Amino acid sequence: MSGESSSSETAPLLRAHASSSSYNTAAAAKQGHVDAETGAIPTSSGSGDTELYDNVPEEKRQLGISSAIFLIFNRVIGTGVFAAPSIILRSSGSVGMTFIMWILGALVAAAGTAVFVEFGTGIPRSGGEKTYMEYLIRRPKYIVTCVYAVYGMGIGWMAASGIVFGEYFLHALSIPATPLNVRITGFLSLTFCLVIHGVFLKWGIRLQNALGFFKLIVLVLIAASGVLSLAGAPGFEIGAEYEAPDNFRWGKFWEGTDLSANAFVTGMYNVIWSFIGYSNANYALSEVRDPVRTIKRAAPLALLFVACAYLSVNIAYFAVVSKADMLGSGTAAAALFFRNLYGPATSRILSAIIAMSTLANNLSILFSQGRVNQELGREGILPFSSFFSSNKPFNAPLAGLFAQWLVSVVTMLGAPPGDAYLFIVNLISYPLALFNIIISGGLLLLYTPTYKSYDWCPPFRAYKPVVVFFFFSNVFLAVVPMIPPLPGQTVYEHLPYWSHVATAIAIGFVGVVYWFVAFRWIPKRKGYTLERETVLQDDGVSRNVFRRIPVGGAYTRE
């Protein structure tokens, strides 16, 4: 998948100016690392503003390899593993083509993992796409951060999965899943995630890991049950009242294959999105112990677990459920699997499993997105940046977590069923493809003579063909939603098929307007320029502040 440079395995590209475990303003000032008057930590002499290895105290780095693995695993595998196989089969037309699509999706995810591991080893700090795009796009100053901030702070990444949790949790308890009940349950689940990650950091990580391990065990048991059923083991027979599958006989395996461009595009679009989340640990690298070494091991291992889970569970489903049932029932593949093998009474057990899987997914999203919001606060771009960058009062980014919780809850409670809900799901997904295009395209440029001044030489390098493959896969994801659907097919009932694309672009434009007003128009009108410096908070974590420099006058901090 990737190659290694000759650099030390644990040496990051961007180094701290002092040891993060003992760094303080007074000591650094004596050594010349900090301006004695302002407390500012100077950035490196490069042209960028992000060329500073993270100054995070060692005691705040609480994620090891296993935690990083489950951070990714929980983010990727939510409800898709239980429902997506039926959807992919409808697009592919055959069992064989379904497996080809899943394998291609795994290859795209592997390429993306290689790209994010390279960036993670080169810039081992939290933020993910935000941090990497800031490194790549340095002019105009701060525009990337402003645009990303609108997406990061303004989109409720947990809204959809909050409703999914509510639906399955209520079904597991045999409680009517009315819209009100679902939203109340979803609200309580998201609030639980906020409290445990914002107040009880270590217990939140432990719960997240435990749920990830539970999910992995469940998937292993499903896969094993399917194989035992296929082998005719006693106790794993399919119920006599259900159609016996014949999906792995060579003729049946490829029967019905749809090779049309539209079917392939639709199927691959769903498969690729089923793997999204492989970059989740990159959002929280500032809290990872030995981040360079950890990300190099955790990300590929997590992806391996995910790919094996998807493929083995698909084998189990097709071993137990007939193709006709999967295409015609309109029910998730996992529900048919449990019904055929263990009887319809197990539907509540499956609902409980899916609810726990979704809870793990929400915990993973909130943990990482809270760190992204904290990084946005540390950049000094947002109003009340000191508030969002703080780890007080529970040694966790409670403010960043709260911001994501609030937007997700408002979105979840306010989104009506139908077009609006599907629109929100698509709106959450689409910007990721645009960010990945910039990141992978920028990585290709870093190895060209034009970008030689960046001196990009991380401890881990992805092969160039892998990066090219990832770049074009995301171009595919960005272009497909703009292609008109075939006659008789619709994306939404009442909205144009391109509405979420236009809205996503409009949100980015809001970020551009914010940048222009805050960093161009107002400073010019009031007669000052802005200069950014880095200071240490009293919790030992650095953050950026801006100072206003009027012509011929003393500066003031914003």
Side-chain angles (χ1 to χ4, degrees):
M1 178 174 68
S2 326
E4 305 273 353
S5 74
S6 59
S7 303
S8 167
E9 181 180 81
T10 59
L13 172 65
L14 308 178
R15 302 175 187 274
H17 294 287
S19 170
S20 61
S21 60
S22 59
Y23 199 79
N24 61 78
T25 305
K30 292 179 181 179
Q31 299 173 25
H33 296 306
V34 177
D35 186 289
E37 287 187 18
T38 66
I41 309 168
T43 58
S44 67
S45 57
S47 60
D49 291 305
T50 60
E51 291 187 326
L52 178 67
Y53 177 44
D54 225 1
N55 288 296
V56 174
E58 197 64 32
E59 62 269 17
K60 295 186 182 297
R61 298 182 179 271
Q62 308 207 37
L63 301 179
I65 289 180
S66 59
S67 294
I69 288 173
F70 283 121
L71 194 62
I72 298 169
F73 185 80
N74 282 328
R75 176 63 182 90
V76 178
I77 296 188
T79 59
V81 70
F82 303 106
S86 301
I87 300 172
I88 308 306
L89 178 62
R90 292 188 186 100
S91 297
S92 66
S94 71
V95 175
M97 195 63 185
T98 296
F99 279 100
I100 288 178
M101 287 183 173
W102 280 111
I103 292 170
L104 288 174
L107 292 176
V108 172
T113 300
V115 168
F116 276 90
V117 169
E118 176 165 350
F119 272 112
T121 58
I123 311 174
R125 65 176 296 167
S126 296
E129 299 98 345
K130 164 203 159 295
T131 301
Y132 311 146
M133 290 192 295
E134 287 171 341
Y135 179 83
L136 292 166
I137 305 174
R138 305 180 179 184
R139 296 290 182 273
K141 274 189 174 184
Y142 317 127
I143 190 170
V144 167
T145 312
C146 290
V147 171
Y148 191 91
V150 177
Y151 285 111
M153 299 289 287
I155 293 180
W157 301 90
M158 300 187 298
S161 49
I163 290 181
V164 170
F165 174 86
E167 291 174 344
Y168 282 101
F169 185 79
L170 291 173
H171 182 263
L173 298 178
S174 296
I175 298 174
T178 65
L180 178 60
N181 287 348
V182 167
R183 280 160 173 75
I184 290 175
T185 307
F187 168 80
L188 293 175
S189 72
L190 297 188
T191 303
F192 170 78
C193 294
L194 171 67
V195 172
I196 197 164
H197 272 330
V199 180
F200 307 102
L201 177 60
K202 290 185 178 180
W203 283 105
I205 294 172
R206 289 169 184 165
L207 176 62
Q208 189 168 273
N209 292 348
L211 287 173
F213 185 72
F214 165 77
K215 188 188 306 186
L216 182 60
I217 293 300
V218 167
L219 296 177
V220 168
L221 292 176
I222 289 175
S225 298
V227 171
L228 289 172
S229 177
L230 190 64
F236 292 91
E237 300 89 356
I238 298 169
E241 66 272 32
Y242 306 117
E243 180 182 354
D246 184 23
N247 295 320
F248 292 108
R249 189 159 53 86
W250 186 252
K252 291 288 186 179
F253 194 64
W254 299 103
E255 185 179 70
T257 297
D258 189 344
L259 296 177
S260 68
N262 183 72
F264 180 80
V265 165
T266 303
M268 283 306 304
Y269 189 80
N270 284 288
V271 168
I272 292 173
W273 281 124
S274 295
F275 281 95
I276 290 299
Y278 45 76
S279 61
N280 206 42
N282 292 67
Y283 298 138
L285 274 182
S286 295
E287 299 189 30
V288 171
R289 293 189 297 271
D290 198 354
V292 173
R293 179 176 180 273
T294 299
I295 194 65
K296 285 172 62 176
R297 283 157 173 73
L301 280 173
L303 180 63
L304 178 63
F305 291 156
V306 167
C308 289
Y310 276 138
L311 291 174
S312 59
V313 167
N314 268 274
I315 292 173
Y317 290 159
F318 287 115
V320 173
V321 182
S322 70
K323 178 182 174 182
D325 270 0
M326 205 173 290
L327 287 174
S329 69
T331 305
L336 296 172
F337 175 89
F338 272 72
R339 182 202 68 179
N340 286 12
L341 210 55
Y342 302 115
T346 58
S347 64
R348 289 175 58 190
I349 296 175
L350 175 61
S351 292
I353 291 172
I354 296 177
M356 293 302 101
S357 177
T358 307
L359 179 62
N361 185 255
N362 282 334
L363 285 167
S364 180
I365 293 173
L366 183 61
F367 185 94
S368 296
Q369 199 61 38
R371 272 69 187 172
V372 172
N373 291 345
Q374 183 182 44
E375 284 298 303
L376 290 168
R378 292 178 66 192
E379 292 297 337
I381 297 293
L382 300 173
F384 312 109
S385 288
S386 61
F387 172 72
F388 287 109
S389 63
S390 175
N391 275 319
K392 293 181 177 180
F394 302 108
N395 197 33
L398 182 58
L401 296 167
F402 175 79
Q404 174 55 211
W405 172 87
L406 180 63
V407 176
S408 294
V409 165
V410 170
T411 304
M412 181 184 66
L413 296 179
D419 282 349
Y421 182 72
L422 179 59
F423 172 81
I424 290 170
V425 173
N426 289 335
L427 180 62
I428 289 171
S429 304
Y430 190 76
L432 294 176
L434 303 181
F435 297 151
N436 286 339
I437 289 172
I438 295 172
I439 290 168
S440 53
L443 187 56
L444 293 171
L445 291 175
L446 285 176
Y447 292 107
T448 64
T450 304
Y451 284 76
K452 186 177 181 180
S453 61
Y454 280 57
D455 194 26
W456 180 252
C457 188
F460 178 96
R461 291 189 182 183
Y463 290 127
K464 186 177 292 185
V466 170
V467 182
V468 171
F469 177 61
F470 184 62
F471 173 81
F472 282 108
S473 70
N474 280 280
V475 171
F476 167 82
L477 290 175
V479 170
V480 165
M482 294 186 284
I483 300 175
L486 293 177
Q489 298 181 357
T490 59
V491 177
Y492 304 108
E493 293 181 13
H494 306 291
L495 296 174
Y497 66 89
W498 43 261
S499 55
H500 62 280
V501 176
T503 304
I505 295 173
I507 290 173
F509 182 73
V510 171
V512 173
V513 171
Y514 174 74
W515 164 81
F516 176 78
V517 171
F519 293 95
R520 287 289 187 270
W521 186 70
I522 292 179
K524 183 176 180 180
R525 184 181 181 187
K526 295 189 175 181
Y528 63 81
T529 59
L530 292 173
E531 182 174 321
R532 189 162 65 171
E533 61 186 27
T534 308
V535 299
L536 280 177
Q537 302 175 136
D538 55 10
D539 61 2
V541 177
S542 63
R543 71 179 180 90
N544 294 315
V545 297
F546 285 90
R547 59 179 181 176
R548 299 174 181 176
I549 307 178
V551 177
Y555 76 84
T556 57
R557 283 185 190 163
E558 285 205 324

